[in-house]
Amino acid sequence: MGKKLLGALLLTTTSSLAFAEDITGLWQSIDDKTGAPKALVEIRKETNGTYAGKVVKITPRTGYTPKETCVDCPAPYTNKPIVGLDVLTGLKYTSGLNYSHGRILDPNTGKLYSMKAKLSANGKRLHLRGYLGVSALGRNQIWIRAE
């Protein structure tokens, strides 16, 4: 009986860790200043092993009219529709629940940041850090896995 229980516990732990390392899927981005939902982003794994994420839906917010195109964005994002735009690119799995070496675009300001991310242990939250130069000069966002 003890061996079966131990085996089931190991299987559960292993499968939850495998799930926790997978960031592919739909994520609700949350505005770090207001706490309001901003957009749904679909993260996918590219053939080169990095992760990319595109905006699939802009979340309506009271008192805010979202931009439809990336007006102030650098090339190749300039004047592209925000829905369908890859705002997250080049993110690489490093170890444990950590990812780094990515780039993230804020389509509202047109700023492009280096980024790193950490997935929560239960796989439901993605903690992103966008920064310029060094990680200390940046801002955080938490994305929530959309179910």
Side-chain angles (χ1 to χ4, degrees):
M1 175 78 171
K3 288 183 180 181
K4 287 183 181 179
L5 182 61
L6 180 61
L9 181 61
L10 285 173
L11 182 62
T12 303
T13 304
T14 305
S15 62
S16 67
L17 284 175
F19 171 74
E21 291 177 7
D22 184 18
I23 62 170
T24 60
L26 281 177
W27 293 88
Q28 178 70 64
S29 67
I30 306 296
D31 189 302
D32 55 319
K33 295 175 184 162
T34 66
K38 288 173 48 173
L40 274 178
V41 178
E42 181 180 26
I43 298 179
R44 67 189 181 280
K45 191 168 188 177
E46 301 286 89
T47 56
N48 65 2
T50 64
Y51 292 87
K54 73 175 175 180
V55 175
V56 294
K57 180 183 177 188
I58 297 173
T59 307
R61 293 182 272 169
T62 306
Y64 175 76
T65 305
K67 293 180 179 180
E68 291 186 22
T69 58
C70 206
V71 178
D72 298 320
C73 298
Y77 306 105
T78 310
N79 297 322
K80 301 276 179 159
I82 293 174
V83 173
L85 192 67
D86 275 341
V87 293
L88 184 153
T89 56
L91 192 61
K92 295 178 184 175
Y93 172 74
T94 52
S95 66
L97 303 171
N98 298 302
Y99 298 80
S100 63
H101 307 293
R103 305 278 288 166
I104 191 160
L105 173 73
D106 181 344
N108 292 321
T109 64
K111 293 190 179 179
L112 193 58
Y113 300 92
S114 295
M115 71 158 298
K116 60 184 181 178
K118 183 172 185 173
L119 189 62
S120 65
N122 66 5
K124 304 270 186 206
R125 293 181 186 269
L126 189 61
H127 300 259
L128 292 94
R129 177 81 178 158
Y131 55 93
L132 296 170
V134 292
S135 181
L137 302 175
R139 55 191 248 214
N140 296 322
Q141 268 192 2
I142 295 177
W143 290 5
I144 299 169
R145 191 180 291 273
E147 309 224 354

